[in-house]
Amino acid sequence: MSDIVLSATGLVMRFGGITATNNVTLNLRRGARHALIGPNGAGKTTLINLLTGVLTPTEGRIVLEGEDITWLAPHRRVARGMVRTFQINQLFDSMTPLETLALVVSQHSGVGAQWWRPLGSSTAVAERAGQLLEQFRLADVAWQQTRHLAYGKRRLLEIAIALACEPRVLLLDEPVAGVPAGEREELLETVAALPADVSVLLIEHDMDLVFSFADRMTVLVNGTLLTEGDPDTIANDPKVKEVYLGHGAAHV
Amino acid sequence: MSELLRIENLSAGYGEAVVLHDVGLALGEGQTLALLGRNGTGKTTLINTLAGATRQHGGSITLGGAALHKLSPHLRAAAGIGWVPQERNIFKSLTVHENLTAVERPGRWNPQRVYEMFPRLAERKGNLGTQLSGGEQQMLAVGRALVLNPTLLLLDEPLEGLAPIIVEELLRAIRRITRDEGLAAIIVEQHPQAILAISDEAVVLDHGTVVHADHAASLQAQPEVLERLLGVGR
Amino acid sequence: QDNTFKIGLILPMTGQQASTGRQVEAAAKLYMAQHGDTVAGKKVQLIVKDDTGLPDVAKRLAQELVVNDKVNVLAGFGLTPIALAVAPIATQSKTPAITMAAATSAITQASPYMLRSSFTLPQAAVAMGDWAPKNGIKSVVTLVADYGPGNDAEKFFAERFELNGGKVIEKLRVPLRNPDFAPFLQKVRDAKPDALFVFVPSGAGAAVMKQFLERGMDKAGIKMIGTGDVTDDDQLNDMGDGALGVVTSHHYSTAHPSAMNKKFVADFEAANKNMRPNFMAVGGYDGMRIIYEALKTTKGQGGGDALLAAMKGQVFESPRGPVLIDAQTRDITQDIYLRKVEKKDGQLWNIEFDVIKAVKDPGKSK
Amino acid sequence: MLTILFDGIAYGMLLFVLAVGLAVTLGLMNFINLAHGAFAMAGGYLTVFAMQKLGVPFLLCLPLAFLVVGAAGALLERTLYRPMYGKSHLDQVLFSIGLAFMAVAAVDYFVGSSQQNIHLPEWLRGRTEIGDGALLLGMGHYRIFIIAVCTLLTVVLQLILSKTRFGSRLRAAVDDPRVAAGLGINVNVVFLLTFAVGSGLAGLGGALGAEILGLDPTFPLKYMVYFLIVVSVGGTSSITGPLLAALLLGVADVAGKYFIPKMGAFTVYLLMILILMWRPQGLFTRKGGK
Amino acid sequence: MDFRQPLLQKARWRPWEYALWVVAFALPLLVPSHALMINEIAIVALFAMSLDLILGYTGIVSLGHAAFFGFGAYAAALFAKHVMPDPTIGLVVAIALSAALGAVASVTILRGSDLTRLMVTLGTALLLLELANKLDWLTGGADGLQGVVMGPVLGVFDFDLFGRTAAWYSLSVLLLLFLLMRRLVHSPFGATLKAIRDNRLRAMAIGIPVVSRLAVIYTVAAAVAGGAGALLAQTTGFASLDVLAFDRSADVVLMLVIGGVGWLYGGIAGAIVFKLLQDTLSTVTPQYWMFWIGLILVLLVLVGRDRLLKPWTWFGARKAVKP
Ligand SMILES: Nc1ncnc2c1ncn2[C@@H]1O[C@H](COP(=O)(O)OP(=O)(O)OP(=O)(O)O)[C@@H](O)[C@H]1O
Ligand SMILES: Nc1ncnc2c1ncn2[C@@H]1O[C@H](COP(=O)(O)OP(=O)(O)OP(=O)(O)O)[C@@H](O)[C@H]1O
Ligand SMILES: [Mg+2]
Ligand SMILES: [Mg+2]
């Protein structure tokens, strides 16, 4: 059972009259490449919000590495290795990508509260930030204010930030939305190439990517868990086709 | 089929920076144009320029014979432009329904019809814009453009974040609307294949200029050209 | 350079207390216009500074006036804390300082160089405490603004009033910036005293008066009494007929029937359109008189100590009546009048009908 | 007892009229206009002069104050305020407090610093009392009048905002002016109208309130805090929010001062802090608003 | 590519900074007649900088910062009056007490919008003001706290009538606290504050303990503001209610915004500009200086701070269009 890194049991989330998450149970294995799919408004983002502590569930329990984190503050979950990206970019607009990444790396190498030495005084921090900038092709805009970057670059930064947090469990909410077709695979390959013991949960509507990435899939519909299984089973599940995948060949 | 839109020598950008240089294209009534290009080549800038949301430095835009570039943004909607911005820009302090009624203009499309097209929105009628899921916001953005009852629909990556089944439906709907209701559309998309299939014309931008203009079908038939222009061949 | 005699006038010219500053400055200038600006061979120069109501600013201004401008006398001071903040400067630099407006008792004790040409609230309040019980007012509710002068007025009135056999039913304090007096007045009404004793800064007087009437308190048999701040001459005309009959005790009324005052008022009004000189103005006017006379006596020779000595003990006729600058306390001894608001020639005036002679500051006697 | 309640309501209503214009500009337009009190002061002085110098009857002065100050607001919007919308809140604060300073000094220069008084017509000056003992209800006629005017105003504003598209178009224009314009909303006109109405309301509030609050050049600064309290406690997304907040504060303030006069101004400040810590978005926000 | 140098670049001292401080300390000698003004400017500059920590760097608007300034002033004055007259010890005590108050008050600013924070901070300051008014046996109430006698600084330098000791004392404290704050804003800690300001949600999602950071920086800002207040009380020898008043809080916001937020020198620049303007204008026209200050504020925003300070950009050709 220690194989399960993250497990959510019986999660319920209500917004007023709307039940966005209805008794969802989800287990994430160590090293998994797990995809979470479902129609729009099925509650995928809500589920991520619950797992990361942005929202507190109405009912249910969340366990990370054997420890109950249902009531743990969001930033402490990050400290325990659970990191996410956002469906809609959440960036530090007045900073440059370089500063952003240096900050995130500092925070994770334990010097985030240091106040007497300048940011970047640690060589390790500067090097790691530079490495990430190069990796995500942000080096040429490293000194521009984030608010002036083109959408695609902002998206890359969004993901770079998450990776800078050295995640053990990574939750990706439509990471490649807005990234051009040619670069999507590459981006996901970067993610797939994370160490084998890092677990990834991916939300994505681009089925080509999802099927090439995932080794396991969960389908959420209307806040409820519809089914879970390996990619082949899901691809051929008539229920999933009916509510989500469709039958046409819009996506080849 | 008569000409609806003509763009000539257009240059535009943000503040002092010029992003588009000498862009020209034309589109007939009821036609659909696929606007393609790599990241940051100015697709969004072109769409926004049509909607009046950038700074135009030169050139002309004519819509149905009227000089669109002389109109201030809010009059362009009246002249027939329906805009779906790339970042959706749902009005966050309005409910779903108010998002539609605030901009609605008389015509075939009304909130009711939008709800029929996207039943999901009908269920969320009373929610604030920011309380919608990503995909729901995308639907609302499309619906909001439709209730303007435009003659030219500007769709900036409208399929992004939508479930495959909705993508299928939306593509079908766009095809239907353009064919049956005579609406013209310019669609920006990252997936050339999906969009070329329903388009009549195709234009590829690079570094703010038009580098390729063709019928959609013939471009679709030339994967090597797509590969060269966009870096994707599928 | 050597032939000028400088007076540094520190006043609130903007903000809540601006009208105080305006009155004092106008009166000081009037005095100079009437008496010329050359005294004992020296050219008198007035340097006006706005303290914006802040004591630390006032203190810096005083310090700069003394150190940089080398003023011979400091004067003005609209508020107690300002006078108190300036006092140490006067002491250190041996510069006489004349309080022309502020009215708390303690000011003149803060520095041996501090004198006063205005009045003290205890003077006025005690007079009312004497008069009221003799005129059928046996029970009173006091309503004062919650700051130094208000607390002084409450304390001295209540003590004297009870000493004379009256009864203070309740003591109410309202915040300085109080938008609505309704709850306090309602409370007074419910307590049904013979009279309401009021002290509020001059601007707020009109509001209290109006709401007093609106609440029908006069009809319920409650009289309104207070110190003269409430029926400030400058504002009185605007208050409307509601103010008629209000009895107050104070050291100065624009309507004071003396030849000197008539001339003072006429000249003041001629020089300042739309302004009536009030008790602030007379403080400024007399303050200048004290300085001029001291300068004459010392013939322009000697420093601050000489001036101070010449200021102490001055006895003179002021527009308000006879006054004496007590040589010991450096405070002012003056007549306090009882006045009633009446209408004459279509205008409202505080008409004096009784006087208590030569009132010393009661705050000092204990 | 009832009298205290009545006085509290009237006071609250008065606060509401004075603050509602600010609720409109701050709440709906998201523009921090600290010169709001200056518009109110303009309404007050206008009334004083129209009545004293021109002999205009009080009742006529109220609409006059609304219209004239509204027009002045519109003029200022076109000339000065418009470039401010895009600026940061801090710049807006700087700008509008600058305007307020100028207004204070200008009024002082032209009119003088002394308190102005409005002379109400006779029929507004009386008082009616019903019942007796603990149930005695004494109502000043002017306070009844204030309550009536405010109720009317609330109803009208509420109707305009809920029954017309104007409200939602305005909020759309505030949320994202660029996209709103691109979708056919004439952002400039919407803002102009709103601002004019907001300042007109301030003018009306000033005209109504001068009688009770007094009127002198420091008015804009003296009562600014009160307006802000009403708007922040009421929440900024509706008209009813500030109304309820104003009533609550009015009654609490009056009752607090009546029953525990020692507490003085404590009551209001403490109440405000507690409410805002409990519901940071204000007491009466649109449901679900995050 | 080397990314370390550009990161460190920002925190480096520039030549003009050294020059500025040298000039500042020379000023009381150069213009001895204005030593008091220099003292006052140094104090409000410190006050403005403390506000910048929360307003500029963390995005917490406050209209009640005078709460800490005033608290520090009373603390220092009372300490001198009742315990001992030594200024430095008094200063440290006042700073410590203000920090404690800031830590307690920080619970009020953790949630809410700009407007809410504005009002809650304002309310806190007003409450404190009322309290000081009511506790007149301790604070002297509306008359102010009198009878504060300060000992010599470090046991050597007496406060003189010319205000030179005061000016140097305040400048030294200003410099010392400035150095600490400068370190702080350029550190990783400072960067996390900016992150919180820009996007709180994301800040949380990268593991920044938002609540405790806010509480810490609010406490620090309160401590520095308390220090400024203590300087005022010590150099003027009294404290009165207005140190807590709304106008104090409002003025310091104005100064900071004039000088520019998110830049420690903004506080200094704003303090200098505002105080000098106020002083000159109120000497020229004691009654109506507010009008001119108002006009300048309006122009400042309309024309733009940068353009106003760089007249040569008024007529210059537009920047060349880049491709
Ligand atoms: N704060 C909220 N208040 C009310 N309803 C909400 C709120 N947040 C989300 N919802 C609703 O909950 C449902 C689930 O939303 P969620 O964002 O989790 O969907 P999703 O699966 O991520 O969809 P998508 O694929 O479109 O991003 C949606 O119908 C949405 O309208
Ligand atoms: N607001 C802005 N200010 C300045 N430059 C901008 C702005 N928005 C975009 N740009 C620049 O204009 C260029 C074109 O951007 P645009 O958004 O039009 O590209 P795009 O083709 O839509 O790209 P994407 O596929 O990422 O949406 C980019 O280089 C970008 O940096
Ligand atoms: Mg989602
Ligand atoms: Mg784009």
Side-chain angles (χ1 to χ4, degrees), chain A residues 44-45 87 173-174, chain B residues 133-134:
Chain A
K44 304 180 294 295
T45 301
Q87 186 169 2
D173 196 352
E174 304 199 21
Chain B
S133 82

Side-chain angles (χ1 to χ4, degrees), chain E residues 52-60 193-194 196-197 214 217:
Chain E
D52 202 15
L53 284 184
I54 54 173
L55 181 70
Y57 288 94
T58 326
I60 299 171
L193 296 179
K194 285 183 229 168
I196 293 170
R197 176 191 67 193
L214 288 180
I217 194 64

Side-chain angles (χ1 to χ4, degrees), chain E residues 165-185:
Chain E
T165 313
W168 274 314
Y169 176 53
S170 295
L171 280 171
S172 313
V173 176
L174 173 70
L175 176 60
L176 194 74
L177 291 177
F178 168 80
L179 289 176
L180 291 178
M181 283 189 276
R182 196 178 184 287
R183 282 254 149 180
L184 188 138
V185 300

